[in-house]
Amino acid sequence: MIGYLKGTVASIQKNPSNRVTLTLDVNQVGYDIQVVPRLIQQLPDLGEPVQIFTHLQVREDQMILFGFGTAAERDLFRQLVSVSGIGPQLAVALLDKMGLQDLVQAIVSGNTKALARTPGVGAKTAERIALELKTKLAEWRQHAGLSSLPSAGPTPEIQEDVEMTLLALGYTSDEIMQALQAVGQNTSLAKNSEPDAWIREAIAWLSQ
């Protein structure tokens, strides 16, 4: 119904449950839009113009506008909520936790471990997302012009062993993901190299 809105940033509010509401002034009408929290970093200052791509959710008791920085993010959100058991808040959480490219890559590659890192997404839910959207997103990614380069990290089976070891050593999930991507791009490690090799290289990178 409302594909996007162009206006100026009137206010940004964040509640204790990490939901972020952007009030967008469009021709002197204020639209309250729930946006992906990571979008805050990309928004201009108060009073500055911005375009937000939107999805309108209509329920019996309320209407909620969800906002995104790109049309691709909005389209991925719509794909996610089409999966049984995935509501809009969980879809927003996935986009916020992983970002567009990493989320699409995790689904297309069947990396349920990465999907399950998002609070509220259990193993069964992650498997359902990958099962229902894997083929759709592989095709959609090509049509949308998104990068289809494979992840630089190890295979999902090896990645699980590497992550468990590094988590036990006190590294955070975000640190581990950054290290594996960097190591995969900057070294001669193959995706199916032994877990110990990935662990050594990741620790070396994290220690820089």
Side-chain angles (χ1 to χ4, degrees):
M1 181 179 177
I2 303 175
Y4 65 84
L5 291 169
K6 283 185 178 180
T8 57
V9 179
S11 70
I12 301 171
Q13 298 177 334
K14 185 175 182 180
N15 70 16
S17 62
N18 199 38
R19 295 185 185 180
V20 176
T21 300
L22 162 69
T23 300
L24 194 67
D25 185 334
V26 182
N27 296 325
Q28 298 184 334
V29 177
Y31 289 86
D32 286 339
I33 308 168
Q34 184 184 335
V35 298
V36 177
R38 66 165 55 205
L39 181 61
I40 292 178
Q41 302 170 4
Q42 304 168 25
L43 290 174
D45 295 333
L46 296 182
E48 294 297 317
V50 69
Q51 175 174 304
I52 301 294
F53 293 87
T54 58
H55 172 84
L56 178 63
Q57 182 196 37
V58 180
R59 289 183 174 178
E60 292 182 2
D61 58 340
Q62 65 179 174
M63 292 190 295
I64 302 177
L65 266 177
F66 290 91
F68 311 88
T70 65
E73 283 186 334
R74 186 217 29 222
D75 294 344
L76 178 55
F77 170 87
R78 289 173 172 170
Q79 294 272 17
L80 289 167
V81 297
S82 72
V83 176
S84 175
I86 303 298
Q89 300 302 339
L90 198 53
V92 167
L94 281 161
L95 278 164
D96 184 52
K97 176 71 175 177
M98 303 186 68
L100 176 67
Q101 292 281 10
D102 288 347
L103 179 53
V104 172
Q105 178 63 34
I107 294 172
V108 172
S109 65
N111 189 350
T112 56
K113 185 76 173 178
L115 295 172
R117 287 196 197 94
T118 298
V121 179
K124 290 184 178 179
T125 300
E127 290 173 2
R128 187 161 60 249
I129 293 172
L131 179 65
E132 293 192 23
L133 295 183
K134 183 175 182 177
T135 301
K136 289 181 181 179
L137 290 191
E139 296 173 353
W140 172 78
R141 180 167 61 178
Q142 291 182 339
H143 293 313
L146 298 175
S147 171
S148 58
L149 292 174
S151 169
T155 61
E157 297 80 8
I158 291 173
Q159 182 170 323
E160 184 171 354
D161 290 339
V162 174
E163 288 176 359
M164 293 301 291
T165 301
L166 294 175
L167 284 169
L169 292 174
Y171 296 106
T172 67
S173 295
D174 287 343
E175 288 174 334
I176 294 169
M177 290 300 293
Q178 291 174 13
L180 294 183
Q181 285 292 315
V183 167
Q185 292 171 350
N186 300 331
T187 72
S188 59
L189 281 174
K191 292 180 71 67
N192 60 353
S193 294
E194 289 296 319
D196 287 349
W198 281 95
I199 292 169
R200 285 195 301 271
E201 293 291 344
I203 291 175
W205 187 86
L206 288 163
S207 300
Q208 292 177 357

